[in-house]
Amino acid sequence: MTVHEIDRRLGAHIAADELPGLAWLVAIGDDVTTGAIGHLDAAGTTPVRTDTIFRISSMTKPLTAVATSILIDDGVLDPAEPVDALLPELADRRVLANPAAELTDTVPANRPITVDDLLTFRLGWGMDFADFAPTPLDAAWNDLELGWGPPTPARMPAPNTWLARLGTLPLRYQPGERWLYHVGASVLGLLVARAAGRPLSEFLADRVLRPLGMADTGFSVPAEKLARFSPHYAEIDGARTVFDPVDGQWSTPPAFEGGGDGLVSTLADYHRFARMLRDGGALDGTRILSERAVTAMTTNHLTPEQLARGGPSPDGSAGWGYGVGVQLRDLPDGPRAGAYGWAGGLGSIWSTDGPVIAILLTDQSWGSAGPPPVFATFERILGELARTADPL
């Protein structure tokens, strides 16, 4: 497959006005190729570049899992230990008698929430991909402004306030019972901060970002880099609308550093992160994680019963490691069994399949029905490349 072919197939979605612009990266071993198509602005005057900074939303989750795994490597955290000592707000949990019950209809938790529960998203809170029917817990979540839906860092309460509010709510399911999306990563960010004795951003910068040379990744974009930052769009009532401008919510450091969805990054930065994982936890002679930690991150932890009740993919083809989705079987038009990665609802996706790393960053959110067609095209490209692993 040629670079021109990738540009042609992805560019067709820009030409169809499905989204304003995108940047892509494909690495096969040490052979790295990038491209940028379309524009940052709806008027079509500012082209996307390969060094454009994008909001990566849920592609933040793998970095938070790496930060947690570093603390496990350091002996500061243990996956099996309860989080009560560091997060006392979450001790002595009550659990809803059933997921749709009133908040007062509860039973005691069978056991405490553990670090492993947070990493595997089995703490008992989160989005149920198998059932989106509104519940009293959802209403209370919104009333407490705990964050549900697209990331809004400037509107989130300070970490201790957020955690105190969270602690007033019962769990939806017993700890360890079900995979539920997102909330585990938000709580992990706070756990890392308390375990490290400093903000999540500082720990990430010291132990992950600077050692890997990820100079453009963080929870906000400094003024001197805003010229490379993309505005972000969403489809609302059939019209493309600015969700967040360049000088919007990511232009200043947030009070709440969202471990599940708060980071911005670039193709080059995220590629360095992905290379580190692909190469067993080290990059260019700098070790970030032990090989054991990488294996734990990229191995499915969900049971067949949990996958049957609702996991990361509707068809059950993907499980969950620590902060990443793990492919359990080959997809005919996509990644193979053993591939891992994750995507972000603000329009981003990363996958590592054998020697192949593929990253797509865009400036438009997914719709309510899921990712736009360009993502299916990108996954087909990844699948074709992974099956041949020929240089571009």
Side-chain angles (χ1 to χ4, degrees):
M1 187 181 302
T2 65
V3 174
H4 174 74
E5 174 69 6
I6 296 175
D7 272 337
R8 183 191 66 78
R9 290 167 68 173
L10 296 177
H13 297 278
I14 303 293
D17 198 32
E18 295 172 11
L19 69 165
L22 60 85
W24 61 269
L25 178 148
V26 171
I28 303 174
D30 294 330
D31 179 34
V32 183
T33 306
T34 60
I37 311 169
H39 296 83
L40 298 179
D41 57 322
T45 59
T46 307
V48 177
R49 304 184 340 186
T50 56
D51 66 348
T52 294
I53 301 170
F54 292 90
R55 300 155 190 80
I56 62 170
S57 53
S58 287
M59 278 170 57
T60 301
K61 291 174 171 66
L63 280 94
T64 302
V66 163
T68 310
S69 298
I70 289 170
L71 290 170
I72 293 171
D73 276 346
D74 289 350
V76 176
L77 294 176
D78 182 326
E81 72 178 322
V83 301
D84 297 9
L86 288 168
L87 305 177
E89 297 92 335
L90 304 187
D92 302 318
R93 288 293 83 206
R94 303 287 298 182
V95 183
L96 292 173
N98 67 75
E102 295 297 330
L103 301 188
T104 54
D105 186 7
T106 64
V107 297
N110 293 335
R111 62 168 176 79
I113 297 168
T114 66
V115 175
D116 184 82
D117 291 331
L118 300 185
L119 284 162
T120 60
F121 288 11
R122 293 182 291 192
L123 73 162
W125 278 311
M127 303 177 195
D128 187 346
F129 283 2
D131 184 1
F132 288 99
T135 67
L137 179 62
D138 296 332
W141 200 279
N142 286 323
D143 290 343
L144 292 173
E145 298 179 331
L146 293 173
W148 210 249
T152 52
R155 300 172 195 167
M156 293 288 285
N160 289 347
T161 300
W162 187 88
L163 197 59
R165 293 178 185 177
L166 182 66
T168 66
L169 296 177
L171 298 176
R172 189 184 300 266
Y173 288 96
Q174 289 285 347
E177 182 181 358
R178 281 286 306 276
W179 184 90
L180 299 170
Y181 187 56
H182 180 66
V183 177
S186 299
V187 179
L188 269 183
L190 305 184
L191 180 74
V192 169
R194 289 192 179 176
R198 48 184 166 155
L200 174 62
S201 58
E202 290 185 13
F203 185 80
L204 271 176
D206 184 45
R207 298 296 298 272
V208 182
L209 305 181
R210 279 195 294 268
L212 291 178
M214 298 173 65
D216 291 325
T217 301
F219 288 101
S220 62
V221 181
E224 67 272 15
K225 295 184 180 181
L226 287 176
R228 289 196 288 120
F229 191 35
S230 169
H232 196 80
Y233 301 91
E235 291 284 343
I236 300 177
D237 296 328
R240 183 170 294 142
T241 304
V242 176
F243 167 75
D244 189 65
V246 169
D247 60 353
Q249 294 191 69
W250 277 265
S251 63
T252 55
F256 186 90
E257 296 174 345
D261 57 13
L263 289 174
V264 302
S265 194
T266 61
L267 291 176
D269 274 16
Y270 214 90
H271 174 232
R272 293 183 69 79
F273 174 76
R275 276 181 59 202
M276 177 272 294
L277 290 176
R278 185 194 65 185
D279 295 346
L283 181 68
D284 298 335
T286 299
R287 178 155 295 281
I288 304 296
L289 283 180
S290 66
E291 292 186 7
R292 179 186 63 181
V294 174
T295 298
M297 277 194 65
T298 58
T299 299
N300 172 54
H301 292 265
L302 305 185
T303 67
E305 293 76 17
Q306 288 169 337
L307 289 168
R309 294 182 69 184
S313 62
D315 62 359
S317 66
W320 193 252
Y322 281 175
V324 299
V326 180
Q327 199 63 35
L328 300 178
R329 63 175 184 265
D330 291 357
L331 294 181
D333 293 319
R336 301 170 299 174
Y340 59 88
W342 199 236
L346 293 189
S348 59
I349 187 170
W350 147 64
S351 183
T352 296
D353 188 342
V356 180
I357 294 170
I359 302 166
L360 176 67
L361 305 177
T362 82
D363 54 10
Q364 183 164 299
S365 297
W366 292 10
S368 58
V374 68
F375 284 81
T377 297
F378 193 66
E379 288 200 314
R380 283 194 294 271
I381 291 170
L382 166 64
E384 292 169 25
L385 290 170
R387 283 162 175 80
T388 62
D390 294 331
L392 296 178

